[in-house]
Amino acid sequence: MSRKGTTTPVPALRGRRRVRWGANAALAVVGAAFLLPLLWLVFASLDAEAGHGTRVPRQPSLENFGAVLTPELLFLPLWNSFLLASGTAVVNLLAAVLAAYPLSRHPSRFNKPFMYSVLFGTSLPVTAIMVPVYGLFVQLNFLDSVPATIFFMATTTLPMAIWMTKNFMDSVPLEVEEAAWVDGASAMAALRTVVLPLMRQGLGVVFIFVFIQAWGNFFVPFILLLSPSKQPAAVSIFSFFGQHGAIAYGELAAFSILYSLPVLLLYTLMSRGSGNAFAMSGAMKG
Amino acid sequence: MLFLDRGPSPEEPRSREVRRPTVPRGSALRRRLRLLPVLPSVLLLALFLLAPVAWSFYASFTDVALSGKAAREPSWIGLDNYGRMINEEGFPLALWLTVVFVGASAIIGQNLLGLALALLMQRGNRALSRVVGTAVVAAWVLPEIVAAFAAYAYFSRDGTLNQILGTAGLEGADWLYSYPMAAVVLANIWRGTAFSMLVYRAALAEVPADIMEAALMDGAGGLQRLFFITLPMIRNSIASNLMLITLQTLAVFTLIWVMTAGGPAGASSTLPVLAYQEAFKFGDIGYGTAIASVLILVGMVFGIVYVRLLREAKR
């Protein structure tokens, strides 16, 4: 047994090692291909004479960052992005929590068809409805209105937010809530004091998920917001650098990096936090 | 639609029907009232999603324009806009380019590369997998306009791609001008593969290890295990992923708009780009909504298939 046992695994082991090597090499190649376009952003942002090509800056400097750090070029558009994204996320969260509560807690004939319609809603191509939405906004006199744009953007992510929120709420055990009911709390009070605190990590995930999408959205504000003073960074960066014939690539890259940092940070935060939320809901199930 | 790997998701609709509590059932009216909190969502969806879709179908039968008389009093022109689609060459070309774009960049590119990455990460070095995973996800988390600028620089005449080809002694090309579809397809693979990768990583993690070991004992080779065990076991994820990336790719506008603006001469103008151009560049909202309506219908077909798929998977 022992002799046989030592001879047979050897080829298998060698095969496995070869597979591992091949896998690593392939991963490295794909990883490099994905990193290259991003590398340009970093190098160009530090290079005052940047062009299309990727090269290590001869004299790395923060000149580009200095050039874009002005109120009208950077701060106002970023503030507008923040208003749009946080407004969208708040509207989403409020509407989704309210909708998810009866859907999760009170079984009715209405629930299933509604959830499937919501799911169907997630699949509408949003860019396809932008032409009709523009028409609608003209008719309702909503064009160039930040609140109306927020409500529209919130609606485009609402189906997904409802779906996620309901799933998170389903994993909050009913027993805790029943105790609150026995103590005479109303449904809404139980929701506020018992259910929401227990699913706060899930709510955080939904909030960040919506925020990232709204922050990065270009097409919707591009169509619906006309005044430069209301436009978010995605639109201002496009009109500024698109219209200035000879593009200042270094500044474009520096602006892009400053504009991208918040969502990169939020994503990192969420991929850590939601790991815990997932673990938490798993623990409760068991 | 992001972050399918974490937390609950439509992948596994966890509709553990909540046990009816000890609270009295109440009258029919009270039961109706309980649904009241759903109202804000219903109103938002009706006003901002349903109404535009309905208006799109209506306006596609009119000559409503961006400005001028036809903007104030559009008139009913029946199927004229749809007739124009068939007769003008812009629409058939855009339809074909959309099929190419979705097929090549989503169904083939993102899907297969995402699956390959997920499989490789199971076998490869853990630290390396992590770095590669971060790079792939970074391209996807970036705001779309930033990703589009980076892709534009990468494919431009003196951009990174031609630099690499140059060092290998190969002659580059003006990709955005001469091969605009290839450039936007590759850019969209770069931008969107993360989604498929995350879906497949989550799905592969669910495949029980003992089944794999049993197959290994029975002498199944690597490819056999992949095709006869792994892929059949994650087929629901594959189907959902294909539906979702198809829908996402159908709607791509910004990437193409920044890289080529649909050009040159419409050579990379997919349906969303064409709808935008007809409506806002040429001011013909009626024709623009007709194109949008076709896109919405295509989206609806995929949406219905997707919902059915999830329902089947739940049974």
Side-chain angles (χ1 to χ4, degrees):
Chain A
M1 172 92 200
S2 63
R3 185 163 285 179
K4 261 191 177 168
T6 49
T7 47
T8 41
V10 170
L13 209 67
R14 198 182 293 150
R16 201 172 283 178
R17 211 174 285 152
R18 213 183 310 141
V19 167
R20 214 188 155 92
W21 249 97
N24 283 339
L27 276 176
V29 170
V30 177
F34 272 81
L35 269 181
L36 269 176
L38 297 176
L39 203 62
W40 171 79
L41 271 183
V42 177
F43 282 164
S45 74
L46 297 170
D47 189 346
E49 294 147 15
H52 285 140
T54 305
R55 59 163 205 206
V56 181
R58 263 180 222 123
Q59 280 180 312
S61 79
L62 294 176
E63 216 172 288
N64 294 320
F65 288 94
V68 295
L69 278 171
T70 67
E72 81 271 23
L73 204 55
L74 189 79
F75 298 128
L76 182 63
L78 282 188
W79 171 247
N80 288 338
S81 294
F82 177 76
L83 275 186
L84 279 179
S86 50
T88 304
V90 168
V91 171
N92 251 290
L93 215 52
L94 283 177
V97 163
L98 284 175
Y101 189 60
L103 291 170
S104 168
R105 282 351 196 196
H106 303 300
S108 94
R109 264 173 305 159
F110 162 82
N111 289 7
K112 244 188 193 153
F114 182 79
M115 285 313 282
Y116 281 120
S117 324
V118 160
L119 187 66
F120 178 65
T122 62
S123 56
L124 268 185
V126 173
T127 40
I129 61 169
M130 282 323 290
V131 179
V133 164
Y134 177 86
L136 186 79
F137 268 51
V138 171
Q139 309 255 299
L140 298 174
N141 229 347
F142 278 173
L143 218 54
D144 207 27
S145 149
V146 173
T149 307
I150 286 177
F151 279 110
F152 172 67
M153 279 169 71
T155 309
T156 61
T157 38
L158 188 58
M160 202 35 130
I162 294 177
W163 190 270
M164 287 169 79
T165 309
K166 181 187 174 280
N167 278 337
F168 279 121
M169 210 176 265
D170 282 351
S171 58
V172 174
L174 203 57
E175 289 80 7
V176 213
E177 211 179 331
E178 282 172 324
W181 285 341
V182 170
D183 290 345
S186 70
M188 280 298 130
L191 170 67
R192 210 179 55 238
T193 57
V194 179
V195 182
L196 292 187
L198 278 174
M199 56 181 290
R200 59 180 182 278
Q201 275 177 311
L203 294 177
V205 171
V206 177
F207 187 93
I208 294 177
F209 157 80
V210 174
F211 189 95
I212 291 181
Q213 291 216 323
W215 181 271
N217 199 323
F218 164 77
F219 197 36
V220 174
F222 179 59
I223 299 283
L224 298 180
L225 293 175
L226 310 176
S227 329
S229 64
K230 293 178 186 169
Q231 284 170 345
V235 180
S236 75
I237 192 181
F238 179 75
S239 31
F240 180 80
F241 293 102
Q243 281 159 14
H244 293 63
I247 299 182
Y249 289 101
E251 290 175 22
L252 175 69
F255 188 109
S256 298
I257 286 177
L258 292 172
Y259 164 51
S260 307
L261 272 182
V263 286
L264 292 177
L265 290 176
L266 276 178
Y267 181 82
T268 317
L269 188 80
M270 188 183 61
S271 47
R272 282 203 193 131
S274 70
N276 293 336
F278 198 40
M280 191 188 75
S281 69
M284 277 188 188
K285 256 204 304 192
Chain B
M1 214 152 287
L2 316 152
F3 322 126
L4 265 184
D5 63 325
R6 300 282 156 81
S9 72
E11 274 288 286
E12 56 263 275
R14 203 193 297 160
S15 82
R16 180 167 69 85
E17 285 305 328
V18 177
R19 187 169 53 81
R20 201 37 235 147
T22 47
V23 175
R25 284 184 67 81
S27 66
L29 178 69
R30 271 198 64 175
R31 256 180 287 149
R32 293 267 159 73
L33 278 178
R34 282 207 190 112
L35 285 174
L36 204 60
V38 186
L39 202 61
S41 293
V42 171
L43 287 178
L44 279 176
L45 292 169
L47 179 61
F48 289 117
L49 224 49
L50 226 55
V53 169
W55 193 81
S56 181
F57 288 124
Y58 161 75
S60 69
F61 296 106
T62 69
D63 65 350
V64 60
L66 199 56
S67 56
K69 185 176 166 292
R72 272 164 285 139
E73 314 158 12
S75 46
W76 188 265
I77 55 168
L79 288 168
D80 280 11
N81 284 325
Y82 293 95
R84 241 183 96 183
M85 273 181 199
I86 302 167
N87 295 326
E88 275 180 26
E89 61 185 58
F91 181 80
L93 177 65
L95 189 64
W96 166 242
L97 291 177
T98 309
V99 171
V100 170
F101 186 64
V102 172
S105 78
I107 294 176
I108 296 175
Q110 293 179 7
N111 184 46
L112 291 185
L113 187 58
L115 180 62
L117 277 169
L119 288 167
L120 287 171
M121 284 172 170
Q122 275 193 323
R123 286 157 182 76
N125 178 290
R126 203 173 255 183
L128 180 66
S129 301
R130 200 174 212 159
V131 174
V132 174
T134 308
V136 175
V137 167
W140 175 62
V141 178
L142 282 181
E144 54 181 343
I145 191 101
V146 173
F149 279 136
Y152 170 80
Y154 185 81
F155 285 106
S156 56
R157 187 189 280 281
D158 42 6
T160 312
L161 180 58
N162 282 346
Q163 277 182 299
I164 297 170
L165 293 175
T167 48
L170 294 167
E171 182 96 30
D174 195 348
W175 302 99
L176 295 170
Y177 194 79
S178 312
Y179 305 97
M181 273 314 279
V184 295
V185 162
L186 286 172
N188 194 46
I189 295 175
W190 171 71
R191 164 82 174 154
T193 295
F195 184 83
S196 303
M197 180 189 82
L198 292 174
V199 169
Y200 288 134
R201 286 195 77 177
L204 289 179
E206 303 269 300
V207 175
D210 42 345
I211 293 187
M212 276 302 169
E213 268 159 37
L216 203 62
M217 294 296 231
D218 290 345
L223 278 180
Q224 278 177 316
R225 269 175 290 149
L226 178 65
F227 282 105
F228 295 113
I229 300 175
T230 312
L231 293 186
M233 286 198 81
I234 63 167
R235 65 179 185 281
N236 283 334
S237 300
I238 297 176
S240 306
N241 183 53
L242 282 175
M243 298 313 300
L244 290 172
I245 59 176
T246 298
L247 286 162
Q248 286 164 13
T249 307
L250 263 180
V252 167
F253 172 85
T254 308
L255 193 68
I256 299 177
W257 187 245
V258 170
M259 287 177 71
T260 68
S268 58
S269 183
T270 55
L271 286 177
V273 178
L274 184 70
Y276 172 84
Q277 284 178 324
E278 292 294 345
F280 295 112
K281 235 168 131 186
F282 305 119
D284 194 342
I285 301 267
Y287 190 46
T289 51
I291 298 166
S293 300
V294 172
L295 202 53
I296 292 170
L297 279 177
V298 175
M300 281 179 168
V301 171
F302 279 98
I304 289 169
V305 175
Y306 174 55
V307 170
R308 297 210 119 182
L309 235 115
L310 279 187
R311 251 162 69 184
E312 306 270 292
K314 256 176 77 177
R315 286 214 183 103

